[in-house]
Amino acid sequence: MNEIATRRRATVHDVARTAGVSLATVDRVLNARAGVRAATIERVEAAIAELGFQRDLSASLLARARDLRVTFIIPEGSNEFMASLAQAVANRAGPALADRLHLDIIRIKALDAMALAHCLDSLQPSACDCAVIVAGEDPSVLVAVDAATRRGILVVTLVSDLPGSSRRAFIGIDNTAAGRTSASLMGRFCTGHGKVGVIAGSLHLRDHRDRLEGFRQVIAAEFADIEIIGPIEGHDEHAETAAQVTTLLAQHPDLAGIYNLGAGNAGLVSALTASGRAGTIRVIAHELSEPTRRGLLSGVIDVAIDQNPDGEIRAAIGAARALALDSSAAAPIEPIEIGIFLRDNLR
Amino acid sequence: MNEIATRRRATVHDVARTAGVSLATVDRVLNARAGVRAATIERVEAAIAELGFQRDLSASLLARARDLRVTFIIPEGSNEFMASLAQAVANRAGPALADRLHLDIIRIKALDAMALAHCLDSLQPSACDCAVIVAGEDPSVLVAVDAATRRGILVVTLVSDLPGSSRRAFIGIDNTAAGRTSASLMGRFCTGHGKVGVIAGSLHLRDHRDRLEGFRQVIAAEFADIEIIGPIEGHDEHAETAAQVTTLLAQHPDLAGIYNLGAGNAGLVSALTASGRAGTIRVIAHELSEPTRRGLLSGVIDVAIDQNPDGEIRAAIGAARALALDSSAAAPIEPIEIGIFLRDNLR
DNA sequence: TTCGTTTTGAGGTACGTACCTCATGAGCGC
DNA sequence: GCGCTCATGAGGTACGTACCTCAAAACGAA
């Protein structure tokens, strides 16, 4: 038998006694309030370390006058993945309330950096402890993130990171690894066959660039007999993607595979179906959405690479909670896995 | 802007006022204590429903004299997966403490139903609110689970379920779907090639049987040109598996793939490496452990199918917490995904 | 009715932290 | 020594639930 823990947890009282200070001083240190000498802060922190003191989350949440407020800012539009992120937040809102977490969602225009920046600027610290954003890489967003941080709002990036900013955590997958994984599968599917077409949404998007780079790396290193056609840009639109795929198929009667690293999968599926070559071409796409799900079930798509929206939202909420309760802490790192789905393990 | 919630949460006081009873009565109903007429219970429950009252977890945990105690009973031995489950529990023990959760681990002899039953019998309700077990399908375990439930200990099954018992939740993957997924990948890897060897640990294990069944289903339905050799039983032992694989390779010089649905992966890797045919044969194995990780990195193994131990433990703890706080509630269902890992998306 | 039992009410304390006020201490420059 | 500021202490209340005791009320059976 393997007992893990142990005796009674240390409380603030224990910390005060050990540090030789009063409860009020410990409280000031713990909650980063002013009016404590540096030397005293050190004494208290030493006591905290010595006792292994951990703030009791239950009591801490209970004692706060207000709940923690987390605001999600999520792009709106036809992108199914963003919609499922928003849905995941909505699903968590109820249960989270019992944990004293208040979740808000704000939908803003997709790919509009100014809208995101304005939205961040409009957040009041009194109404929002933590903002979770899907950020594009834009200077105005970076400025807004830093301003929000200075106002006392914690910022967490989701899906797409904003390195160089004061964001306190990033929750998302490694898109280069996702591209490598796709190549690794595609290479094994198409050994000795030849051509693979690659479709992107836009090479201005960082995650798409990353996926493409990873895909190219592995194809070049391990599957030298495979020739990459493209990338073609479908701008994440169904109609445009369908047109591009139709052209691609016509130009390459010997095409062995297609990798769509962007959105617009409904167009991909319809074009392939119309061509009559569905099933003979190996297809890898991104995100488990309605179109890819249909594609997997009908055999048009072989594999969907996915970042689990529920998992990402759960991780984001966890990070927000941990940061809000102890803003000096590092964000907990709960790695988001790259999901690989075939018809047989659809969730 | 999309406001989700709302006004102040209802408290027990509100429930008491609405139901027209005293706080004490509400408390008796909420905590299932005796001494309340059925008609009164109904009134209180109606008020709870009307107000949408949810017990405040923070306050609830704080008010309890003792922490929630969750005991994990996990098989010991050379099985790396079980070791990583235990490790995952140990990793969570610290952080969980801040949430008033006390985690214990008991390791018992693997595949020993009597040991598990005895262990369950020895759990005292005063020292354990919830037991999480990796159960084999054995009548003695079933009896012990029901006895524990009657003593007031909640039982949750992990990895392998125990249908027909009074266990309150099951956390694990769908092993049939895992087998189907493996077949779907293997079929695409080996189109037109011919023979695929299948290795199991033991066909007495339910999860192994399920995986085999799923694998066979999909090969038969979709890849009729593939012939399944085996299954061979390696009993999850490294040495025995190595010997079986060596024989298999010698007997089938044209083998295109190997699916190991059991453990013993170190033996699989060493036999393949020794044969000189590593890399020319597609290999799918189960569980991300040291041997499979090495196999993926060296190119001996193409794909590892995994059930994320951290995710399973997290889900089990979540279920235990929810059940312990409201034992009449249904266990929260957080589906465990089937993880698919290549060298390129190793975590 | 009367006795006994069961149900209900009233009111308390406790959990550990957050946050508040007020008083007192130490330390400073002059 | 003065007055001043800043650091700290002392002690309180509040959060929402759990759990306790004791008394009062309701109910049932004789």
Side-chain angles (χ1 to χ4, degrees):
Chain A
M1 176 133 180
N2 224 339
E3 276 286 334
I4 290 184
T6 103
R7 44 171 198 214
R8 187 177 65 86
R9 269 191 308 281
T11 74
V12 280
H13 295 86
D14 302 321
V15 174
R17 204 174 327 110
T18 304
V21 300
S22 75
L23 212 74
T25 298
V26 173
D27 182 69
R28 290 180 185 112
V29 172
L30 275 178
N31 295 292
R33 273 188 279 275
V36 187
R37 248 192 317 242
T40 311
I41 294 182
E42 269 181 40
R43 285 228 312 281
V44 172
E45 283 175 345
I48 289 175
E50 180 188 336
L51 296 173
F53 168 79
Q54 279 190 287
R55 189 191 305 245
D56 185 306
L57 291 189
S58 298
S60 176
L61 285 170
L62 181 58
R64 284 168 197 271
R66 57 200 184 78
D67 289 358
L68 290 179
R69 304 181 67 109
V70 182
T71 301
F72 287 80
I73 306 178
I74 297 180
E76 62 189 349
S78 69
N79 190 325
E80 291 99 353
F81 178 66
M82 294 306 164
S84 54
L85 278 181
Q87 186 58 50
V89 175
N91 291 343
R92 294 245 160 207
L97 219 50
D99 259 333
R100 310 193 77 85
L101 279 170
H102 181 102
L103 271 36
D104 284 327
I105 308 179
I106 302 178
R107 303 297 297 266
I108 57 168
K109 188 146 169 292
L111 298 174
D112 185 337
M114 289 311 293
L116 175 54
H118 284 323
C119 185
L120 271 173
D121 288 340
S122 73
L123 290 178
Q124 298 303 320
S126 59
C128 171
D129 300 286
C130 178
V132 182
I133 65 175
V134 179
E137 285 187 294
D138 190 283
S140 62
V141 175
L142 203 139
V143 168
V145 167
D146 290 347
T149 301
R150 272 194 305 276
R151 290 205 307 282
I153 295 177
L154 298 156
V155 179
V156 172
T157 51
L158 187 68
V159 179
S160 176
D161 196 12
L162 198 61
S165 72
S166 56
R167 61 102 179 92
R168 297 295 305 279
F170 165 63
I171 312 287
I173 64 169
D174 177 342
N175 281 299
T176 310
R180 287 202 308 269
T181 303
S182 302
S184 216
L185 283 170
M186 189 61 89
R188 285 170 173 75
F189 288 166
C190 301
T191 36
H193 284 62
K195 298 178 180 172
V196 172
V198 174
I199 304 163
S202 161
L203 295 182
H204 291 122
L205 294 171
R206 182 184 181 113
D207 47 352
H208 290 199
R209 283 205 312 278
D210 286 348
R211 290 172 188 171
L212 178 61
E213 184 195 332
F215 190 83
R216 279 183 168 147
Q217 278 174 10
V218 168
I219 293 291
E222 295 181 50
F223 303 98
D225 54 339
I226 287 183
E227 177 192 351
I228 294 181
I229 312 290
I232 301 164
E233 287 181 275
H235 296 108
D236 290 357
E237 295 287 339
H238 298 333
E240 190 172 350
T241 304
Q244 300 276 19
V245 170
T246 302
T247 308
L248 179 73
L249 289 170
Q251 290 178 341
H252 301 276
D254 55 343
L255 200 69
I258 293 179
Y259 174 40
N260 179 20
L261 54 80
N265 285 304
L268 171 69
V269 170
S270 63
L272 267 163
T273 307
S275 77
R277 285 157 72 189
T280 68
I281 295 181
R282 296 306 186 202
V283 177
I284 301 181
H286 273 266
E287 313 308 349
L288 265 190
S289 55
E290 256 322 287
T292 52
R293 212 174 272 274
R294 280 204 318 274
L296 285 171
L297 290 172
S298 65
V300 177
I301 295 178
D302 294 274
V303 174
I305 308 287
D306 182 68
Q307 43 188 333
N308 181 345
D310 284 311
E312 292 195 331
I313 295 301
R314 177 168 39 68
I317 292 174
R321 190 168 109 120
L323 286 171
L325 289 179
D326 184 359
S327 58
S328 71
I333 305 206
E334 198 173 347
I336 302 297
E337 285 184 11
I338 296 172
I340 302 179
F341 291 90
L342 287 74
R343 175 184 24 181
D344 310 285
N345 67 328
L346 271 182
R347 64 157 170 255
Chain B
M1 175 133 177
N2 224 340
E3 275 286 334
I4 291 185
T6 94
R7 40 166 205 219
R8 187 179 64 88
R9 270 190 307 280
T11 73
V12 280
H13 296 84
D14 302 321
V15 174
R17 204 174 326 111
T18 303
V21 300
S22 74
L23 215 88
T25 300
V26 173
D27 182 69
R28 290 180 184 112
V29 173
L30 275 178
N31 295 293
R33 273 188 279 276
V36 187
R37 247 193 315 243
T40 310
I41 293 183
E42 269 180 39
R43 285 229 311 280
V44 172
E45 283 175 346
I48 289 175
E50 180 189 335
L51 296 173
F53 168 79
Q54 277 190 290
R55 191 192 302 248
D56 185 306
L57 291 188
S58 298
S60 176
L61 285 169
L62 181 57
R64 286 169 195 271
R66 59 201 183 74
D67 289 358
L68 290 180
R69 304 181 67 109
V70 182
T71 301
F72 287 81
I73 306 178
I74 297 179
E76 63 189 350
S78 69
N79 190 325
E80 291 100 353
F81 177 65
M82 295 304 163
S84 54
L85 278 181
Q87 186 59 50
V89 175
N91 291 343
R92 293 245 162 207
L97 221 49
D99 259 333
R100 310 193 75 84
L101 278 170
H102 181 103
L103 270 37
D104 283 327
I105 308 177
I106 303 179
R107 304 296 298 265
I108 57 168
K109 189 148 168 290
L111 298 175
D112 184 338
M114 289 311 292
L116 175 53
H118 285 321
C119 185
L120 272 173
D121 288 339
S122 73
L123 290 178
Q124 298 303 320
S126 59
C128 171
D129 299 286
C130 178
V132 181
I133 65 174
V134 179
E137 285 187 295
D138 191 282
S140 62
V141 174
L142 203 140
V143 168
V145 167
D146 289 347
T149 301
R150 273 194 304 278
R151 291 205 307 282
I153 296 177
L154 298 156
V155 179
V156 172
T157 51
L158 187 68
V159 178
S160 176
D161 196 12
L162 198 61
S165 72
S166 56
R167 61 101 180 91
R168 296 296 303 280
F170 164 64
I171 312 287
I173 64 168
D174 177 343
N175 281 298
T176 311
R180 287 202 308 271
T181 303
S182 302
S184 216
L185 284 169
M186 187 63 90
R188 285 170 174 76
F189 289 166
C190 301
T191 36
H193 285 62
K195 298 177 179 174
V196 172
V198 173
I199 305 162
S202 160
L203 295 183
H204 290 122
L205 294 171
R206 182 185 181 109
D207 47 351
H208 290 200
R209 281 205 313 278
D210 287 348
R211 290 172 189 171
L212 178 61
E213 184 196 331
F215 191 83
R216 278 183 167 147
Q217 278 173 12
V218 168
I219 293 291
E222 296 181 50
F223 303 99
D225 54 338
I226 288 184
E227 177 192 352
I228 294 180
I229 311 290
I232 301 164
E233 287 182 275
H235 296 107
D236 290 355
E237 295 287 338
H238 298 332
E240 190 173 350
T241 304
Q244 300 275 21
V245 170
T246 302
T247 308
L248 180 73
L249 289 169
Q251 289 178 341
H252 301 276
D254 55 344
L255 201 69
I258 293 180
Y259 174 40
N260 180 20
L261 55 81
N265 285 304
L268 172 70
V269 169
S270 64
L272 267 162
T273 307
S275 77
R277 287 158 70 189
T280 68
I281 295 181
R282 296 306 187 202
V283 177
I284 300 181
H286 273 267
E287 312 308 348
L288 264 191
S289 56
E290 255 323 286
T292 52
R293 214 174 272 275
R294 280 204 318 275
L296 284 170
L297 290 172
S298 65
V300 177
I301 294 178
D302 294 273
V303 174
I305 307 287
D306 182 69
Q307 46 189 330
N308 182 346
D310 284 311
E312 292 196 330
I313 295 302
R314 176 167 41 69
I317 292 174
R321 189 168 111 120
L323 286 172
L325 289 180
D326 183 358
S327 57
S328 71
I333 304 209
E334 198 173 348
I336 302 296
E337 284 184 13
I338 296 171
I340 302 180
F341 291 89
L342 287 75
R343 175 184 23 178
D344 309 285
N345 67 328
L346 271 181
R347 63 157 171 254

